[in-house]
Structures are given as structure tokens and as C-alpha cells.
Amino acid sequence: MRAASYHPSVRGGPPLILTPMLTITQALYDQIVAHARKDHPDEACGVVAGPAGSDRPERFIAMLNAAMSPTFYEFDSGDLLKLYRELDDRDEEPVVIYHSHTATEAYPSRTDISYANEPGAHYVLVSTADTDGLGDFQFRSFRIVDAEVTEEEVRVVETY
């Protein structure tokens, strides 16, 4: 098992401790996959929020892909501002930021990497294309910090 990484907190608090694994409930996993399939052939996108500092995804928030594109996603700026205000009011943070790839594998593109601005988040990609012969989707999670991509294990549980 790899050691956890330490990175400065975005909000000025103590350093973030990044675990090398995403633990997510089956219900949240299913919601992310369902959203990716529903929005296909356009990319789907959203957030799973959790208590600040917990690294525990709890609240599913499907977002609208303002780009309405099969090759690119973009959060609507007004929706994103509203989301961050709500997260602050609830003492939550984005634990998972997810989107789908509709024709390529579930791996961050150069654009995905350049837009990754939450060093404490798990970046989940769901591919709705059968790129590996293992089925009609892939579900993978990554840490993206300072443009460095690290894939992490995904552990799906019934409950926390």
C-alpha cells in the first residue's frame, strides 16, 4: 500500500492528507453511472459532496454540462457559484468530482488535468464506451494535484 500524500489545504487549514483509495457507497456509484448513461452521448458531470475534511462522499449533486458536448464538459458558472455557496453553508466540500467520457477510456484528458483545481478531490471518470472489452462502462478514480495524475483503487461498500 502506498503512503498518503500531504498537500497544503486550499482553505488555509491544516494540510490535506490524500488517501490512495476512494471508498464510495454502492448507491452513489450507481447514481454516477446512471447519470453518465442518461446524458450519453453528451458528457455528464457532477459532484459528490461530503463533510469538510472527512474524505467521505455522501451527497450526490448532478450538474448540467453547460457545453452540452460529447467531447467536453463544463459546469455552468452560475450553478458552480451556487454550489460552492451551498457547500460552505453546509460545511461540506467536493469529495468527488465526476464526469464521463463518451468515446474514450476513463482517463483524464489534458483538458481535464488543466481544469483540476481541487487538490483534495477524487476525480472520477466514467466511460460510456466499451474501450476495454469488459463491458459498456469503466469507473475509475484519480487524484490530480499540480497536473500529476495518480490512479487510485475504488472500493464500493454498502454503507459507511
Side-chain angles (χ1 to χ4, degrees):
M1 180 171 188
R2 294 176 293 174
S5 305
Y6 294 87
H7 295 279
S9 172
V10 173
R11 296 181 183 206
L16 299 169
I17 300 172
L18 303 180
T19 58
M21 178 189 311
L22 168 63
T23 301
I24 190 167
T25 64
Q26 184 70 57
L28 289 169
Y29 178 98
D30 292 344
Q31 287 178 292
I32 292 170
V33 171
H35 185 202
R37 288 181 168 156
K38 180 178 95 39
D39 282 11
H40 186 86
D42 289 337
E43 289 193 5
C45 57
V47 171
V48 183
S54 72
D55 196 40
R56 190 176 66 219
E58 292 185 350
R59 189 167 62 94
F60 177 79
I61 307 160
M63 302 285 285
L64 173 68
N65 178 355
M68 299 179 82
S69 167
T71 59
F72 181 75
Y73 84 97
E74 164 178 50
F75 293 125
D76 176 82
S77 59
D79 289 348
L80 197 56
L81 179 60
K82 180 181 171 190
L83 170 67
Y84 274 91
R85 285 181 175 157
E86 183 180 309
L87 293 175
D88 282 343
D89 290 347
R90 296 172 64 117
D91 197 28
E92 292 178 326
E93 62 189 8
V95 177
V96 171
I97 299 172
Y98 74 88
H99 76 280
S100 62
H101 283 181
T102 61
T104 59
E105 73 173 316
Y107 191 86
S109 68
R110 285 190 306 262
T111 303
D112 297 338
I113 294 166
S114 70
Y115 285 174
N117 61 2
E118 287 288 343
H122 302 268
Y123 285 88
V124 166
L125 279 101
V126 175
S127 175
T128 54
D130 183 3
T131 58
D132 60 6
L134 297 176
D136 60 350
F137 75 93
Q138 296 173 337
F139 187 106
R140 296 168 73 184
S141 184
F142 304 87
R143 294 292 192 157
I144 305 174
V145 179
D146 297 329
E148 182 180 325
V149 177
T150 305
E151 184 163 11
E152 60 186 356
E153 181 181 346
V154 177
R155 188 177 89 185
V156 180
V157 297
E158 285 304 313
T159 187
Y160 299 124

